[in-house]
Amino acid sequence: AWHQANRFAVRQMWCMHCATLQPVAKRCVSCSKDMATYFCKICNLFDSAANRPIYHCPFCNVCRVAKGLGIDMFHCMRCNACISTRLKEHKCMDNSLDSDCAICLDKLFFATRPIFMLKCGHVMHRDCYNSYVTTNFQCPLCRKCVCDMSMVWKKFDDVWAHVAAQHQNVPCDILPLACNDCQAHSQTSRPAGLPDSLGTLPNKCPHCGSYNTTTTMT
């Protein structure tokens, strides 16, 4: 039966070509056959998958799927994570990978699936992110927007302009407003007695223009 083995504890290996028992290494000491295309003597990792570059990060002390540090990845010391060079201007968060994926709850530091860093700095598996954003626009941890919502906010602007025109002489309720994106606290006014169809219409943050806000109804 198949079982899991602690590869870090492996000290010897059999060569399947010449049946020689020997210390773990990339090449057989007897027949000189390569055991795999990639071998890491620190992780005891063998891999021969086609078109899958792998490198060992000395800071993470694990092997990761990419071409390597300084090529397509860099290690952020504050995040304690290997990050794509395309995200040089990312938002740092202390030990960002020392957590579970907020969607599937798997450990992120040893993830074998691609991970995705949100604008807020939180991290989740890319496939979890792709599934999550089909029905949500807020980070499940901090509630900030995870994608560009400017087109949606423009539609809300148009709706509110129409509501304001229809309720010019209606008294307004003044409500406290908290923005999930810029963290600002302010006040907003809404025409009193709005129909149920408009009762859930979000309010615009006067500081950053986001509709990712919450109010306390009194």
Side-chain angles (χ1 to χ4, degrees), residues 72-83:
D72 59 347
M73 303 290 286
F74 73 98
H75 185 89
C76 176
M77 301 305 290
R78 180 178 176 186
C79 292
N80 191 29
C82 286
I83 299 174

Side-chain angles (χ1 to χ4, degrees), residues 129-145:
Y129 169 82
N130 290 339
S131 175
Y132 178 75
V133 295
T134 59
T135 55
N136 300 272
F137 70 92
Q138 294 175 316
C139 171
L141 298 176
C142 67
R143 302 182 67 184
K144 291 186 177 181
C145 289

Side-chain angles (χ1 to χ4, degrees), residues 41-57:
K41 63 181 180 180
I42 298 175
C43 298
N44 267 358
L45 176 66
F46 295 85
D47 188 87
S48 294
N51 302 315
R52 181 164 66 187
I54 303 178
Y55 73 99
H56 181 88
C57 174

Side-chain angles (χ1 to χ4, degrees), residues 172-185:
C172 292
D173 295 325
I174 306 299
L175 302 172
L177 184 70
C179 180
N180 294 317
D181 285 332
C182 71
Q183 307 298 302
H185 290 265

Side-chain angles (χ1 to χ4, degrees), residues 18-203:
C18 66
T20 300
L21 181 64
Q22 58 196 288
V24 177
K26 180 179 181 181
R27 181 168 295 175
C28 176
V29 297
S30 180
C31 67
S32 299
K33 291 284 188 179
D34 283 339
M35 302 295 104
T37 303
Y38 173 85
F39 169 68
C40 174
K41 63 181 180 180
I42 298 175
C43 298
N44 267 358
L45 176 66
F46 295 85
D47 188 87
S48 294
N51 302 315
R52 181 164 66 187
I54 303 178
Y55 73 99
H56 181 88
C57 174
F59 306 104
C60 294
N61 200 33
V62 295
C63 291
R64 300 201 180 279
V65 178
K67 294 179 180 179
L69 297 179
I71 303 175
D72 59 347
M73 303 290 286
F74 73 98
H75 185 89
C76 176
M77 301 305 290
R78 180 178 176 186
C79 292
N80 191 29
C82 286
I83 299 174
S84 170
T85 52
R86 294 175 296 177
L87 295 176
K88 279 284 188 180
E89 301 301 321
H90 69 285
K91 181 176 181 179
C92 284
M93 185 171 291
D94 292 338
N95 300 313
S96 61
L97 292 187
D98 291 344
S99 59
D100 300 337
C101 174
I103 307 302
C104 69
L105 303 181
D106 283 349
K107 295 292 184 183
L108 288 170
F109 189 82
F110 296 105
T112 56
R113 293 145 54 199
I115 60 175
F116 184 80
M117 178 171 285
L118 310 181
K119 294 189 298 181
C120 58
H122 290 117
V123 182
M124 63 178 65
H125 296 106
R126 179 175 289 277
D127 57 338
C128 290
Y129 169 82
N130 290 339
S131 175
Y132 178 75
V133 295
T134 59
T135 55
N136 300 272
F137 70 92
Q138 294 175 316
C139 171
L141 298 176
C142 67
R143 302 182 67 184
K144 291 186 177 181
C145 289
V146 299
C147 51
D148 183 9
M149 298 292 291
S150 57
M151 294 298 293
V152 178
W153 297 168
K154 178 61 172 61
K155 291 183 180 296
F156 281 139
D157 284 340
D158 295 340
V159 173
W160 270 118
H162 177 74
V163 171
Q166 296 295 318
H167 298 78
Q168 293 182 7
N169 300 317
V170 176
C172 292
D173 295 325
I174 306 299
L175 302 172
L177 184 70
C179 180
N180 294 317
D181 285 332
C182 71
Q183 307 298 302
H185 290 265
S186 56
Q187 289 184 328
T188 186
S189 61
R190 293 173 67 97
L194 286 177
D196 293 341
S197 59
L198 298 176
T200 58
L201 190 63
N203 299 279

